[in-house]
Amino acid sequence: MPVSTSVKTVDRLVRIIDSFSSSRLSWTLTELSEHLGLPKSTLHRFLCSLEAHGILRQDEESKQWRLGYRLFVWGNLAERSTALRDVARPVMRDLVAQTGETALLTVYHAREVVCVEKVESSHSVRLALDVGSRRPPHAGASSKVLMAYLPDEEVERVIKEQGLARLCANTITERGDLHAELALIREREYAQSVEETDVGAWGVATPIRDWDGEVVAAVGVAGPSSRFGEEVAQHYVTCCEEAARRISSALFARV
């Protein structure tokens, strides 16, 4: 049975990606064309497509091609998603006991923020966000704290392709306002939101970092605005910061 065109395309894409290694971190178009035996025009189309998805990137000065941020994201998700949940769950239970609010664990993937773990509070009024739920990265504390540490080009790509839709009364919908908010989050190292995703809901979140200081996830708490106040929020930020440190220490001590 002849191999379909789509399968051949996937095979070529895998061959392109597999050409990069610790001993060969970058290629020019000509070098890679010779290495793979592909016409430069055909290869260039593949490279541009991979670049559009963040899988490869081209250095503006040298014009050499390198692996992109998305492979790092995928690698972290594949290697640590299970370990992350297992490590985080008991810490999140402690966080709920400290704050009385719902604890959330989130990661960034494919221009969305995904809830990968949730520990409910004992209150009857809770946040309506389930494990597996996806949200845009520009709204909500757990989303914004992840967006704040994305590469600049990825932030711009999100804004261009996803837009800044208004989800609730206080959702940030202007590009300049969003950039100012992300800068503030990086300065404070936590994010806060009030009615950005749901009516009557608030949240705070802090980044979880790997051994190199790169942000790989976020942990936060959320609940109804009737239980929210500035002094309470600062206390919750401190609790989340400690939870993030505990998760990071336990997770990356394993690697």
Side-chain angles (χ1 to χ4, degrees):
M1 182 186 299
V3 180
S4 69
T5 301
S6 59
V7 171
K8 286 182 178 178
T9 299
V10 172
D11 288 343
R12 284 181 172 181
L13 293 174
V14 172
R15 286 182 62 210
I16 291 170
I17 296 168
D18 272 347
S19 299
F20 296 86
S21 66
S22 58
S23 60
R24 189 64 191 256
L25 298 175
S26 64
W27 297 86
T28 65
L29 176 62
T30 299
E31 290 170 341
L32 193 54
S33 173
E34 294 173 353
H35 172 72
L36 295 171
L38 286 174
K40 286 198 285 187
S41 59
T42 301
L43 177 59
H44 188 257
R45 288 197 299 272
F46 283 125
L47 294 176
C48 290
S49 180
L50 290 168
E51 182 183 34
H53 292 285
I55 297 170
L56 295 181
R57 64 183 178 86
Q58 186 180 34
D59 186 272
E60 292 184 3
E61 294 184 3
S62 68
K63 302 302 180 183
Q64 294 207 342
W65 291 89
R66 302 174 182 273
L67 295 177
Y69 78 93
R70 177 156 289 185
L71 292 175
F72 174 78
V73 174
W74 284 347
N76 273 287
L77 284 171
E79 182 180 352
R80 304 190 182 101
S81 58
T82 300
L84 177 61
R85 292 181 66 186
D86 290 344
V87 166
R89 198 174 295 114
V91 178
M92 293 170 69
R93 292 194 191 105
D94 290 344
L95 186 57
V96 171
Q98 289 176 310
T99 64
E101 302 295 352
T102 297
L104 302 170
L105 182 70
T106 54
V107 297
Y108 178 82
H109 178 61
R111 293 171 201 151
E112 293 180 306
V113 171
V114 185
C115 177
V116 295
E117 189 58 279
K118 173 184 177 182
V119 178
E120 291 274 17
S121 76
S122 59
H123 289 293
S124 57
V125 180
R126 302 171 183 171
L127 182 72
L129 181 67
D130 297 321
V131 173
S133 296
R134 297 172 180 268
R135 285 191 167 171
H138 71 285
S142 293
S143 295
K144 292 187 301 181
V145 81
L146 291 170
M147 191 178 195
Y149 293 96
L150 293 176
D152 291 341
E153 59 269 24
E154 177 66 0
V155 172
E156 292 303 319
R157 189 173 286 120
V158 169
I159 294 172
K160 180 180 179 180
E161 298 184 9
Q162 305 287 90
L164 301 176
R166 184 177 296 280
L167 305 181
C168 201
N170 295 326
T171 307
I172 297 174
T173 59
E174 297 296 329
R175 181 177 177 277
D177 293 340
L178 178 62
H179 278 290
E181 176 74 357
L182 298 181
L184 180 61
I185 290 168
R186 289 190 293 271
E187 178 184 333
R188 301 191 302 191
E189 297 196 350
Y190 72 86
Q192 179 176 309
S193 69
V194 179
E195 293 195 333
E196 291 187 9
T197 58
D198 300 281
V199 175
W202 62 269
V204 298
T206 55
I208 298 172
R209 300 177 183 273
D210 67 9
W211 58 86
D212 286 328
E214 297 293 325
V215 173
V216 296
V219 62
V221 293
S225 54
S226 60
R227 297 197 292 267
F228 179 80
E230 192 58 39
E231 186 174 337
V232 171
Q234 289 304 312
H235 171 62
Y236 290 171
V237 167
T238 300
C239 294
C240 288
E241 288 173 339
E242 176 59 25
R245 282 192 291 269
R246 288 177 59 193
I247 293 170
S248 179
S249 177
L251 181 64
F252 296 107
R254 292 183 169 194
V255 180

